[in-house]
Amino acid sequence: MTDGARMATRPGVPPREVATHCPYCALQCGMALRETGGRVEVTPRQFPTNRGGLCQKGWTAAELLDHPDRLTTPLLRDRPGDELRPATWDEALDRVAAGLRAVQDRHGPDAVAVFGGGGLTNEKAYALGKFARVALRTRHIDYNGRWCMSSAAAAGIRAFGVDRGLPFPVADLGRTDTLLLVGANPAETMPPLLRHLTDQRERGGQLIVIDPRLTATARQATRHLQPLPGTDLAVANALLHIALTEGWLDRTYVAERTTGFEEVRRTVAGYWPAEVERLSGVPVADLEATARALATVDRAVILTARGAEQHAKGVDTVTAFINLALALGLPGRPGSGYGCLTGQGNGQGGREHGQKADQLPGYRRIDDPAARSHVAGVWGVPADDLPGPGVPAYALLDSLGTATGPRALLVFGSNPVVSAPRAARVESRLRDLDLLVVADFLRSETAALADVVLPVAQWAEEDGTMTNLEGRVLRRRALREPPPGVRTDLEVLADLAARLAARGHFPTDPAAVFTELRRASAGGPADYAGVTWDRIDADTGVFWPCPDPAGPDTPRLFADRFPTPDGRARFRAVRHRPAAEPVCAEYPLHFTTGRVLAQYQSGAQTRRVAALRRAAPGGFVELHPDLADRLGVADGDEVRVVSRRGELRAPARLSPAIRPDTVFAPFHWPGTARANSVTNDAVDPVSGMPEFKICAVRVERA
């Protein structure tokens, strides 16, 4: 039993129990919730992803259900500078609707923007995209998942014709002979995944980790490659160079299942291992051993994550590793392939159904006339009335409150004041808005700036579906009703749509929304038409695409063909290029960010859980002892990390696990320890992914 959330005691009420999933990461661990005598108890349950395991975040998840900071009444700011005050729902929603109408009357439909989150259920993500395009008729909608998997998504689409984080079941990781993790630290970000890695090790498999830090995952690896941040692309090209030189190319696979290889061959010919060692710091011997481990076994898997993807060249970096996987003939074979470790709980489903600026439900492109016609028909509006593509997340936030940008913003399930790059600038943009509306269940740092805060339900208080890192659609089940005074996001959107006299129907029942989502996604790349709640309940979820309720789902993609016009995967030649911001005399060190085990994303939830706060009470700056010695810094000293955009202050943590030319800070904390005050807002030209993982800084004692 855990220190579960305490609730108002209800004598005589029989215990209630539901099988559901953890509210945090994309592993979506199976858990059971049981409410007895005013307590909610969390227990793990057997599920293919976590196999009965939970991390500390999952064990303590119920403590937020009745947290003292829980919002249970709308809050409203009468005038700029006033404090937020309690308000009725009618007062708050009338204020929002009037404000939205006033802004659009003055500046046009695109003067209102919507910002969503990768933790919203599929139903809420779908409804939010529909609300933006039908009720508001704005092109400006995007979400924080843009900062999670967008580079891997773009690379996957141009190589394979589809974006699904893992195109195979997660259990394949335990069956592979060699697993290469690039910029991934699942020992801290999704610990139950290590059960599969343990299976792999016990079978005699090799685990190779590419990471600038000796992370908890890297400590368990057979081999650790420790490159300079921002050089992963060069490392991937060197691995392919070695594979070609040694004759390890799967010629039959390349000839029969791919196109574009010759240009890639010519490009990687220039990535001599000795030159890449000079560039990245990875020894030639490690490059050669890694290439051999991938190419000379029966089964191999290459996985990327944020460390490789959150760069201004993130799409090309992922493409380089996909090229390596294709050259070795890995995708589509059991126990082999390329995949991406999705971060947020519904990072996959959240982008499939309309939160991204350029997409409609079913992963359809919003600029495709056939896609527009299909979705408009489901929504009951003319296709010409749907707006065109918007702009990616950072460009949207950076334009807020400007002469040409949106003047009002609705935020659902996100906290960009902490999570956005160049966060001080984003905070300033939010303050310049005519109207900021935040729907949340806690008073996040973003909600604290809002003109209107709307209290909404938590994960255990509403039904819905999530899509995990494998593309497996799961059921989230409600344990209880939301507290009095709290509404669901679907109810909020329906209430606002009614006040705005929007066309179309905005149901509040998540089952009805999912039925509509199935129709809207039918025929799209992410086809959910054959996925039903009953079918999910009868099994351990349903993998998309699943077009027919009576037909099979698709646990494994690419077995026979790729979803491209000719059925072949695309090689694409990519070249290393430096980070957007090189080091210099004034800023001589590389700065990178990441997560710690006991906290999650912007920390708005986990920082309020006592056990997690004890385990990770605040931010820190990780320095190599040699660097600390040069700076005159001792362990625990407060230091300043300064970039061209801002600074953070936090205690120094000395560790030989990091390179002497690099410093690290976790990004979960606000205020002076806010790591994203420092990070670079340069973005990938294809995906819009900001360069979170490298910028130039100096470090000094505070």
Side-chain angles (χ1 to χ4, degrees):
M1 182 175 292
T2 71
D3 296 330
R6 286 168 174 76
M7 302 159 46
T9 303
R10 294 183 290 172
V13 177
R16 172 169 167 75
E17 184 170 350
V18 296
T20 188
H21 293 270
C22 178
Y24 292 113
C25 82
L27 200 59
Q28 285 295 283
C29 296
M31 62 166 55
L33 299 180
R34 180 180 174 87
E35 177 190 349
T36 309
R39 291 178 64 90
V40 175
E41 177 186 355
V42 174
T43 56
R45 62 186 177 92
Q46 286 294 329
F47 195 77
T49 54
N50 61 310
R51 293 168 45 191
L54 287 178
C55 74
Q56 191 178 18
K57 294 186 289 291
W59 278 110
T60 59
E63 294 189 25
L64 291 168
L65 292 175
D66 289 297
H67 195 279
D69 291 348
R70 181 73 190 271
L71 297 174
T72 57
T73 187
L75 303 175
L76 190 150
R77 197 184 311 274
D78 291 310
R79 289 174 298 276
D82 287 359
E83 293 296 317
L84 287 165
R85 64 167 177 83
T88 66
W89 271 100
D90 282 342
E91 186 181 12
L93 292 172
D94 287 346
R95 167 76 176 275
V96 174
L100 296 176
R101 280 195 299 267
V103 166
Q104 290 188 319
D105 287 346
R106 287 196 303 269
H107 304 288
D110 290 338
V112 173
V114 177
F115 198 77
L120 301 180
T121 63
N122 288 317
E123 293 77 8
K124 293 191 288 188
Y126 170 84
L128 195 62
K130 178 182 176 181
F131 178 82
R133 277 124 185 173
V134 174
L136 298 176
R137 298 181 66 180
T138 178
R139 68 186 181 96
H140 285 310
I141 177 172
D142 213 76
Y143 82 131
N144 61 18
R146 177 74 66 173
W147 302 331
C148 175
M149 249 187 83
S150 61
S151 288
I157 288 171
R158 75 184 188 184
F160 305 133
V162 70
D163 155 36
R164 200 177 89 184
L166 293 185
F168 47 76
V170 72
D172 273 22
L173 302 183
R175 302 175 186 135
T176 193
D177 300 311
T178 298
L179 174 59
L180 177 63
L181 294 179
V182 188
N185 182 20
E188 295 198 71
T189 59
M190 46 180 64
L193 185 72
L194 267 64
R195 297 188 172 214
H196 300 280
L197 274 57
T198 298
D199 287 351
Q200 194 244 2
R201 182 175 64 248
E202 291 176 348
R203 289 185 58 258
Q206 299 183 68
L207 172 63
I208 303 173
V209 173
I210 300 178
D211 199 298
R213 301 170 62 229
L214 182 62
T215 62
T217 306
R219 288 189 178 94
Q220 302 182 36
T222 312
R223 187 174 301 276
H224 175 215
L225 281 57
Q226 196 167 15
L228 180 73
T231 61
D232 298 307
L233 194 161
V235 169
N237 279 353
L239 295 175
L240 182 50
H241 174 108
I242 294 166
L244 297 180
T245 301
E246 296 295 330
W248 293 327
L249 174 70
D250 188 332
R251 297 181 183 277
T252 301
Y253 185 99
V254 169
E256 296 179 354
R257 302 206 58 193
T258 72
T259 63
F261 176 68
E262 285 307 313
E263 185 182 357
V264 171
R265 181 200 292 274
R266 290 192 295 270
T267 299
V268 301
Y271 284 80
W272 293 92
E275 176 62 19
V276 172
E277 177 180 358
R278 183 195 63 79
L279 179 69
S280 68
V282 177
V284 170
D286 282 343
L287 295 170
E288 292 175 339
T290 299
R292 182 177 300 106
L294 289 168
T296 61
V297 296
D298 292 334
R299 292 163 295 193
V301 170
I302 300 171
L303 297 182
T304 63
R306 306 303 83 71
E309 300 159 10
Q310 288 181 324
H311 294 269
K313 56 177 180 295
V315 176
D316 285 353
T317 297
V318 174
T319 297
F321 284 101
I322 290 176
N323 287 342
L324 177 62
L326 289 172
L328 299 178
L330 305 181
R333 291 167 40 202
S336 292
Y338 163 80
C340 164
L341 290 178
T342 309
Q344 295 189 81
N346 202 31
Q348 183 73 53
R351 67 181 177 280
E352 293 169 359
H353 299 301
Q355 284 193 100
K356 282 182 77 173
D358 57 351
Q359 290 179 191
L360 290 171
Y363 223 124
R364 289 181 160 90
R365 290 188 58 87
I366 199 169
D367 57 3
D368 177 358
R372 294 170 62 86
S373 178
H374 172 83
V375 174
V378 174
W379 288 349
V381 299
D384 289 345
D385 283 3
L386 297 181
V391 297
Y394 184 76
L396 173 60
L397 295 176
D398 193 44
S399 70
L400 296 175
T402 65
T404 57
R407 305 294 311 177
L409 178 69
L410 283 71
V411 179
F412 286 76
S414 188
N415 187 18
V417 167
V418 178
S419 63
R422 201 172 186 178
R425 181 182 178 91
V426 169
E427 181 176 346
S428 175
R429 296 271 67 81
L430 292 170
R431 292 180 185 276
D432 286 343
L433 288 167
D434 296 343
L435 178 66
L436 174 61
V437 180
V438 175
D440 211 329
F441 58 87
L442 296 167
R443 185 165 167 160
S444 69
E445 287 72 21
T446 303
L449 302 180
D451 300 293
V452 182
V453 180
L454 304 174
V456 291
Q458 285 197 56
W459 60 290
E461 299 164 351
E462 55 187 348
D463 291 317
T465 61
M466 307 284 279
T467 305
N468 77 348
L469 78 172
E470 312 160 289
R472 188 195 303 252
V473 188
L474 311 167
R475 282 270 280 119
R476 177 176 284 180
R477 298 175 179 86
L479 175 71
R480 64 178 192 180
E481 295 291 322
V486 171
R487 299 186 182 182
T488 69
D489 296 88
L490 295 178
E491 290 169 341
V492 169
L493 294 174
D495 287 341
L496 286 175
R499 281 170 166 78
L500 296 170
R503 288 174 298 176
H505 178 51
F506 289 85
T508 60
D509 176 13
V513 176
F514 190 76
T515 298
E516 184 180 307
L517 179 157
R518 293 171 57 208
R519 292 172 51 217
S521 74
D527 191 334
Y528 282 39
V531 184
T532 66
W533 283 17
D534 287 344
R535 186 170 178 178
I536 296 171
D537 291 346
D539 204 345
T540 54
V542 180
F543 292 85
W544 70 261
C546 182
D548 183 355
D553 62 349
T554 316
R556 190 180 311 283
L557 298 174
F558 316 146
D560 302 312
R561 70 186 312 276
F562 295 92
T564 58
D566 60 3
R568 293 171 175 257
R570 269 66 171 149
F571 280 98
R572 188 182 183 98
V574 290
R575 294 171 174 81
H576 170 76
R577 56 186 185 272
E581 184 177 72
V583 295
C584 61
E586 186 177 1
Y587 302 101
L589 298 169
H590 304 282
F591 177 70
T592 192
T593 68
R595 286 169 49 185
V596 297
L597 174 62
Q599 299 292 341
Y600 183 73
Q601 304 301 73
S602 74
Q605 298 175 56
T606 50
R607 284 187 272 112
R608 288 176 163 87
V609 176
L612 303 180
R613 196 166 56 248
R614 287 193 298 270
F620 60 88
V621 177
E622 186 175 272
L623 308 172
H624 192 280
D626 291 349
L627 173 60
D629 186 59
R630 293 201 306 272
L631 297 173
V633 170
D635 194 69
D637 285 351
E638 186 174 80
V639 296
R640 296 172 67 232
V641 179
V642 184
S643 75
R644 291 177 174 86
R645 290 155 297 281
E647 68 173 62
L648 75 91
R649 291 175 178 241
R653 181 177 295 181
L654 275 53
S655 172
I658 195 166
R659 294 170 54 103
D661 56 5
T662 302
V663 296
F664 165 87
F667 57 75
H668 310 291
W669 285 273
T672 57
R674 183 172 61 184
N676 279 317
S677 295
V678 175
T679 50
N680 196 351
D681 56 349
V683 297
D684 185 290
V686 178
S687 65
M689 171 72 80
E691 190 146 85
F692 286 101
K693 285 296 185 277
I694 183 171
C695 67
V697 300
R698 68 174 183 269
V699 178
E700 55 199 34
R701 291 186 62 177

